[in-house]
Amino acid sequence: MLCFGRDFRMDFLTLFIIYTVFVLGSFIMVMNCSGREQFLQSCVNNLSKITACVLPVKLRCTACRMFNKVLYTRNPFFLVLHIVLEVVVYGEYTGELYGYCLEMEFTVLSLSIPYVLLMVKMIFFVMCCVKDPGTVTKSSQGFPLYSYDGVIYQEGIKCATCNLIKPARSKHCRLCNRCIHRFDHHCVWVNNCIGAVNMRYFLLYMLTLCAMAGDLAMLAVAFLQQLVLKSNLMQGSYIGEDGEPHPVDISFTIQHLFLTFPRVVFMLGFLIVVFLLLAGYLCFHLYLVLVNETSNEWFKKRQWNVIQSKHLKHKHKSAKCKSNYHRGVLGNIKEIFKPLTDVEKKHV
Ligand SMILES: [Zn+2]
Ligand SMILES: [Zn+2]
């Protein structure tokens, strides 16, 4: 029977606090940077209020300028951060987990899948970064890709910056400084807009990224599970603070794994959070594909409905935004993978 010398509750607590701060930080960062400008704005405002009490004015202004530059200009900060996080996770996988899993007789095929997913994901990631999302040009401004719904999109409106007629479903991106056909959102992680042309690559990128995080997390769980089973850890005992032996329970096992393989457990926690966020975000985008809506339209419709319901509060009826580009489920999917802007190019 295994017997552990001491109860390492304090070590665990310190490590767990660092871990929680790290994982929560990652969670907040991913939430705030997934295309929701309102979140970013409130984040900046709250941070300014907090720093106003702590930092001197000059330092605060510099920090504010840097923060605004990172969040409100087109720059590769999050793109580089994305690659750094990936290098850290794959470094840990290759340097530690891969070797342990081989020792535990995991098949090379199952251990190679994360590398295959990484390569496929990189292809879609590069496509998202470099492909023109569907910039509105002089020649494409008048092309009737979609009809104006008269609610979100009004006919004959010119973009004040580009000085071009805004086609229906297009929007001007302040970060890229151009109007984009079937604008969805500006993604800081790929440092590009997501629009009519690169939406298909964005979906496939999200899908492979999700699969990558899920596969790595499953391998880490399988390794920790095998470790507990093969070492008969649950059948052992440990000496508690009272000096008495206690049988190993779940809480002790988690603490033990945390302290023995901290990097693997850190990586697992991070991957689970990333996977859940990505899966949720991907499901939201798949729903939008099925109903033929963009994130921009979804958000504007909600805003429109809230305003209308306030106006009609006393009239016992609610008005719903009638904007609708639905062409049937198959038609909607086809529109993503064979964008109308491609059809347009063939005609020009
Ligand atoms: Zn514009
Ligand atoms: Zn943009």
Side-chain angles (χ1 to χ4, degrees), residues 173 175-176 183 186 192-193:
C173 174
L175 279 81
C176 301
F183 177 88
H186 180 91
N192 200 2
C193 267

Side-chain angles (χ1 to χ4, degrees), residues 51 54-61:
T51 52
V54 187
L55 296 174
V57 180
K58 211 173 176 181
L59 198 64
R60 213 168 63 220
C61 287

Side-chain angles (χ1 to χ4, degrees), residues 159 161-163 166 172-173 177-179:
C159 171
T161 314
C162 309
N163 203 27
K166 280 182 164 185
H172 183 83
C173 174
N177 203 28
R178 57 187 171 172
C179 281

Side-chain angles (χ1 to χ4, degrees), residues 23 27 231 268 307:
V23 170
F27 176 82
S231 64
L268 175 61
I307 293 166

Side-chain angles (χ1 to χ4, degrees), residues 59-274:
L59 198 64
R60 213 168 63 220
C61 287
T62 315
C64 240
R65 263 202 307 276
M66 279 172 68
F67 207 68
N68 280 329
K69 193 170 167 40
V70 166
L71 295 178
Y72 298 115
T73 59
R74 196 176 181 215
N75 67 80
F77 177 81
F78 285 98
L79 194 137
V80 173
L81 180 68
H82 172 287
I83 293 168
V84 168
L85 286 173
E86 228 160 59
V87 168
V88 171
V89 168
Y90 268 84
E92 168 56 23
Y93 174 66
T94 310
E96 196 175 8
L97 191 60
Y98 188 92
Y100 288 146
C101 288
L102 267 186
E103 280 174 29
M104 291 208 170
E105 293 168 3
F106 282 52
T107 61
V108 175
L109 182 70
S110 67
L111 295 176
S112 306
I113 291 173
Y115 296 111
V116 176
L117 287 171
L118 177 68
M119 279 190 286
V120 178
K121 190 229 67 169
M122 279 313 282
I123 295 169
F124 296 130
F125 174 67
V126 171
M127 296 292 261
C128 275
C129 296
V130 301
K131 266 273 181 187
D132 184 331
T135 306
V136 177
T137 57
K138 270 186 184 170
S139 58
S140 68
Q141 63 174 327
F143 199 90
L145 292 177
Y146 300 101
S147 57
Y148 291 92
D149 60 8
V151 184
I152 300 175
Y153 306 108
Q154 310 288 344
E155 199 168 354
I157 293 193
K158 260 190 175 183
C159 171
T161 314
C162 309
N163 203 27
L164 295 171
I165 298 282
K166 280 182 164 185
R169 306 195 84 180
S170 71
K171 187 178 181 287
H172 183 83
C173 174
R174 281 185 293 132
L175 279 81
C176 301
N177 203 28
R178 57 187 171 172
C179 281
I180 306 293
H181 278 294
R182 204 186 186 279
F183 177 88
D184 193 274
H185 68 285
H186 180 91
C187 178
V188 290
W189 297 103
V190 298
N191 196 25
N192 200 2
C193 267
I194 304 302
V197 180
N198 63 351
M199 189 60 185
R200 50 194 155 165
Y201 304 123
F202 178 72
L203 287 172
L204 293 167
Y205 156 67
M206 290 279 291
L207 193 72
T208 43
L209 192 61
C210 229
M212 216 173 81
D215 189 41
L216 283 170
M218 280 197 300
L219 279 171
V221 168
F223 161 68
L224 294 173
Q225 192 187 22
Q226 286 291 310
L227 191 81
V228 171
L229 290 174
K230 287 195 173 174
S231 64
N232 289 324
L233 190 68
M234 296 297 281
Q235 276 80 53
S237 66
Y238 68 96
I239 309 296
E241 281 175 342
D242 52 5
E244 295 293 320
H246 296 274
V248 168
D249 52 13
I250 291 286
S251 144
F252 185 90
T253 307
I254 293 170
Q255 291 179 42
H256 178 74
L257 291 174
F258 222 117
L259 292 170
T260 323
F261 298 98
R263 288 195 298 273
V264 174
V265 179
F266 262 67
M267 187 182 85
L268 175 61
F270 177 70
L271 287 171
I272 289 173
V273 171
V274 167

